[in-house]
Amino acid sequence: MEWILNCQEGKSNSRNQALKKLAWGMLFSEWEEIFRDLKQPAFRVRQVWEWLYLRKVHSFAEMTNLPAALRSQLEERVDLASWKTDDFVEAGDGVRKLLLECRDGEKIESVIIPARDRSTVCVSTQAGCGFGCIFCATGKCGFVRNLEAGEIVGQFMAAVSASQMRLTNVVFMGMGEPFANYDNVLKAIRILNDANGLAIGARRLTLSTCGVVPGIKRLSEEGLQVELSVSLHAPNDELRNELMPVNKSWPLSELMEACREYTEKTGRIITFEYTLVEGVNDSLAHAAELIDIVRPVRGRVNLIPLSPVEHYSGTTPSPEVCAKFARKLERAGVNVTLRRSKGSGVAAACGQLKLNRSKQQ
Ligand code: SAH
Ligand code: SF4
């Protein structure tokens, strides 16, 4: 099968809004409302959640302890259907990508990343992305539309169906900028985290932002224990403006101040993602600048050698250069990790998803 880039810009969500609610996008309280409307006892909600999230069925017909009449009433109001999935395995490291088709035909990608102590699903939050970071394949395409909460949780459920493993973690590092789709992303987090259902601990849920300051501020008020990553990739405004246009809206001083406030308010640390690009941001002088900006914030730096992408001429620095950069940070007392192999690092496997569409459809 041949995949081509699909660069549709700004397509609206309106087709989806006319459709039924997605089962996986409904909070426990929304199910309670529906069951009140249907004059059903409250314990039925718990039964439905058990079918959805413990037994993980993909149709109301399988919920055999619900009366048949109720099942058809639910079918009329709520959409519960498994996704059309094209699953492809990346060579060697067990990383699997899922290509999923939304009900309006939009295609999105998720990634399953197995590791020794955890299995992570990397989910998309938007179809495309409007932030245009120059090294990012998703950014190249522009923004198509926000994903609904049900489409975000649905990616996890599709991964569960496609995988033999117990999936323990979710990172919001696929296509899109989570804070540009804040409400749907937060709703998905609450559903994934709900103790009545999947009960994925907040600390096993990681949000990654390119530096949308209002999102960082809002998250700090939520009282959630989720992990936050901030993609830095450059230690000064001049270079960051070039690599990440978002820096023109929220320059480094503002971003780092918001990060500092976030850590103070939440007591959580922040992971700063720094993609190393040969000859661009990988010198020891860059490392020294990076040390200066991250030191005032409780956090750690995660170095990721660039995964080459078609439209960007940047290349991956040698392992020696990456190690030298890491050592410089370490010696300055900065907590640093360096992901060596492609695919084994969560961010290396995600963050480079492009919006693909089959030519044959
Ligand atoms: N929009 C969010 C989350 C999705 S991108 C963000 O930007 O943080 C997830 C991560 O992958 C980000 O840190 C992003 O900068 C990184 N990334 C994107 N393209 C990459 C590439 N070609 N090589 C390595 N990392 C990349
Ligand atoms: Fe969007 Fe993140 Fe890619 Fe930047 S790195 S274009 S914010 S998905």
Side-chain angles (χ1 to χ4, degrees):
M1 227 186 289
E2 191 181 350
W3 306 101
I4 54 161
L5 278 179
N6 167 35
C7 291
Q8 287 168 283
E9 293 264 352
K11 194 194 285 177
S12 86
N13 235 351
S14 56
R15 275 172 303 169
N16 266 14
Q17 278 157 9
L19 300 171
K20 289 186 280 189
K21 281 187 171 191
L22 290 170
W24 291 314
M26 287 165 61
L27 297 164
F28 197 80
S29 57
E30 290 177 86
W31 284 100
E32 286 177 322
E33 246 170 65
I34 287 206
F35 278 73
R36 263 198 304 273
D37 268 9
L38 295 172
K39 311 225 172 337
Q40 288 287 328
F43 73 87
R44 294 273 185 230
V45 181
R46 223 163 269 285
Q47 285 181 319
V48 167
W49 267 52
E50 244 183 68
W51 284 111
L52 284 176
Y53 297 119
L54 301 179
R55 303 190 198 201
K56 303 179 173 85
V57 300
H58 287 229
S59 74
F60 289 114
E62 289 166 89
M63 302 185 181
T64 47
N65 58 358
L66 301 187
L70 174 59
R71 280 185 261 154
S72 35
Q73 281 175 313
L74 290 174
E75 249 155 43
E76 274 166 30
R77 292 170 180 236
V78 182
D79 192 350
L80 173 58
S82 46
W83 295 40
K84 264 200 236 161
T85 311
D86 251 315
D87 174 5
F88 43 106
V89 181
E90 299 293 287
D93 50 17
V95 172
R96 289 169 73 184
K97 287 194 188 183
L98 301 179
L99 180 72
L100 301 165
E101 187 177 326
C102 300
R103 52 188 173 166
D104 66 352
E106 211 52 68
K107 297 274 176 63
I108 53 174
E109 290 185 6
S110 317
V111 188
I112 304 173
I113 306 140
R116 239 173 304 145
D117 54 341
R118 65 178 73 176
S119 290
T120 301
V121 184
C122 173
V123 296
S124 296
T125 56
Q126 301 181 304
C129 180
F131 283 83
C133 306
I134 62 169
F135 45 78
C136 173
T138 309
K140 170 87 176 103
C141 264
F143 174 67
V144 179
R145 73 165 172 84
N146 281 332
L147 298 186
E148 296 176 58
E151 291 172 323
I152 300 170
V153 177
Q155 291 171 65
F156 182 83
M157 299 311 290
V160 166
S161 303
S163 173
Q164 311 297 327
M165 291 167 288
R166 204 170 79 80
L167 301 172
T168 56
N169 291 55
V170 181
V171 295
F172 295 76
M173 293 188 183
M175 293 162 53
E177 166 53 43
F179 287 161
N181 185 17
Y182 189 94
D183 291 336
N184 286 319
V185 168
L186 262 281
K187 191 175 186 194
I189 284 177
R190 294 192 195 284
I191 294 167
L192 293 164
N193 182 230
D194 194 320
N196 294 302
L198 293 164
I200 303 174
R203 290 172 190 215
R204 294 178 175 272
L205 303 171
T206 303
L207 279 170
S208 176
T209 179
C210 62
V212 176
V213 166
I216 298 172
K217 291 192 170 162
R218 235 177 123 181
L219 187 69
S220 73
E221 309 282 349
E222 300 281 355
L224 281 167
Q225 297 287 303
V226 292
E227 299 291 328
L228 179 63
S229 286
V230 172
S231 302
L232 276 186
H233 307 322
N236 62 60
D237 281 327
E238 201 187 345
L239 182 57
R240 199 161 186 270
N241 284 343
E242 256 174 55
L243 302 179
M244 304 175 76
V246 68
N247 197 65
K248 292 174 195 154
S249 304
W250 297 286
L252 275 170
S253 55
E254 232 178 279
L255 173 60
M256 299 312 283
E257 179 55 18
C259 289
R260 201 185 55 72
E261 282 171 12
Y262 176 90
T263 58
E264 275 179 12
K265 198 172 270 176
T266 61
R268 314 280 306 148
I269 65 159
I270 288 179
T271 301
F272 294 105
E273 307 288 347
Y274 193 98
T275 294
L276 289 160
V277 188
E278 187 175 28
V280 173
N281 63 358
D282 63 345
S283 72
L284 292 181
H286 291 122
E289 281 183 294
L290 182 60
I291 291 163
D292 285 344
I293 64 165
V294 298
R295 245 206 303 234
V297 186
R298 282 188 57 222
R300 60 173 167 237
V301 173
N302 186 27
L303 300 172
I304 313 147
L306 177 81
S307 292
V309 284
E310 237 170 62
H311 69 276
Y312 177 55
S313 59
T315 52
T316 317
S318 68
E320 293 71 35
V321 167
C322 297
K324 247 171 133 177
F325 195 98
R327 254 199 316 276
K328 171 107 182 161
L329 264 62
E330 210 166 42
R331 288 201 182 125
V334 174
N335 191 342
V336 59
T337 47
L338 169 63
R339 303 211 184 273
R340 281 186 182 82
S341 65
K342 221 168 94 176
S344 68
V346 167
C350 335
Q352 41 183 301
L353 303 180
K354 54 189 171 188
L355 191 56
N356 294 319
R357 171 159 288 180
S358 167
K359 253 187 181 172
Q360 294 156 353
Q361 287 181 346

